[in-house]
Amino acid sequence: MSNEILWFIFIAVDLSLSVVAFFIWGKYGVYVMVATGTIICNLQVMKTVKMFGLVATLGNVVYASIFFNTDILSEVYGKKEARKAVWMGFYALVAATVAMQFAVRFKPDTSDIIQSHLEAIFNFMPRVVFASLTAYLVSQHHDIWAFHLWKKVTQGRWLWLRNNLSTMVSQLIDTSVFTFLAFWGVFSSSVFWQIFITTYLFKWIIAALDTPFLYLARWVYHRREKTD
């Protein structure tokens, strides 16, 4: 299976997992998806792949889904719950990073086969985490602010418009901050700019594709409210 086909399948699966979590546990399910997403995307982003003829990092799908999850919270619960999820994600990533920095510093037994792999990932992780947390906080708070700005401007209509306008601008902010802090000087100039372009472009595509899932999540919420 090609990377491109797998990528589209991954998008559908990842967004569906968020909707299912929301259906089962409500806002608490969304909190879980944000927290786990911040950890997973920072692991996946260290892997580079080639898609559509360009070099890209792998963490784009999961990271973009965090914006989808905070948009669910913004839409049905408001700014306060969305911001709470952002800070939960922040804490989860810090806690995971601290825990793994201890893990790689324990002396392995002679029977151990995983230490070198853990070091390869988690010794590089602090730079990625710093870049990610900085970009995450700036872009997520902008996204929540912009989402509610457009909701006010449109008087609560056109969910698709506020979802896309807020996320696409926020993703540009995020991509700019993250790629320069995490990868400038790590890759050659040509690879760096390919990563920059694909990171934003792919997140832009995901933002557009997640719109039907956001309508589905809102429908789930209203159905739960009627049932309760």
Side-chain angles (χ1 to χ4, degrees):
M1 185 180 296
S2 70
N3 281 347
E4 291 80 8
I5 294 175
L6 192 59
W7 186 70
F8 282 109
I9 294 173
F10 186 23
I11 292 170
V13 170
D14 192 50
L15 295 175
S16 296
L17 287 172
S18 293
V19 174
V20 170
F22 181 55
F23 176 76
I24 298 173
W25 297 293
K27 64 182 179 182
Y28 301 104
V30 182
Y31 293 156
V32 169
M33 294 305 294
V34 171
T36 56
T38 56
I39 297 170
I40 292 170
C41 70
N42 279 280
L43 296 174
Q44 291 187 346
V45 77
M46 287 181 268
K47 179 173 181 176
T48 56
V49 296
K50 181 162 282 190
M51 292 193 298
F52 307 103
L54 295 170
V55 178
T57 57
L58 192 60
N60 296 330
V61 173
V62 176
Y63 191 77
S65 72
I66 297 173
F67 285 82
F68 168 71
N69 282 293
T70 54
D71 282 352
I72 291 175
L73 294 171
S74 285
E75 176 63 19
V76 300
Y77 296 110
K79 291 181 183 179
K80 184 177 179 180
E81 296 301 328
R83 287 173 178 156
K84 184 187 295 184
V86 169
W87 284 105
M88 285 181 178
F90 178 91
Y91 187 83
L93 183 55
V94 170
T97 303
V98 170
M100 292 312 300
Q101 291 308 302
F102 276 97
V104 296
R105 282 160 177 76
F106 276 89
K107 294 179 180 179
D109 185 69
T110 54
S111 63
D112 179 77
I113 60 172
I114 202 69
Q115 177 69 12
S116 61
H117 303 289
L118 290 177
E119 288 178 346
I121 295 173
F122 293 105
N123 280 344
F124 182 66
M125 194 175 182
R127 175 174 177 173
V128 172
V129 168
F130 172 75
S132 179
L133 287 176
T134 303
Y136 172 79
L137 289 178
V138 173
S139 60
Q140 282 285 355
H141 281 91
H142 174 272
D143 184 63
I144 294 168
W145 170 81
F147 186 94
H148 286 277
L149 172 66
W150 287 111
K151 188 172 185 177
K152 182 178 180 180
V153 169
T154 60
Q155 298 179 333
R157 298 171 295 171
W158 306 332
L159 172 58
W160 62 271
L161 182 64
R162 59 181 173 273
N163 174 55
N164 284 280
L165 287 179
S166 63
T167 300
M168 289 173 181
V169 175
S170 299
Q171 294 287 22
L172 180 59
I173 296 170
D174 177 81
T175 300
S176 300
V177 175
F178 175 76
T179 52
F180 276 94
L181 290 179
F183 297 133
W184 184 257
V186 176
F187 298 105
S188 66
S189 179
S190 62
V191 171
F192 173 84
W193 286 111
Q194 285 184 66
I195 290 174
F196 183 94
I197 293 169
T198 55
T199 297
Y200 179 63
L201 179 61
F202 291 167
K203 287 177 182 176
W204 194 93
I205 294 171
I206 296 167
L209 293 176
D210 75 19
T211 303
F213 291 88
L214 190 57
Y215 275 95
L216 177 60
R218 188 172 69 172
W219 177 82
V220 166
Y221 171 75
H222 288 307
R223 179 165 183 175
R224 284 170 61 94
E225 287 292 296
K226 289 181 180 178
T227 301
D228 294 341

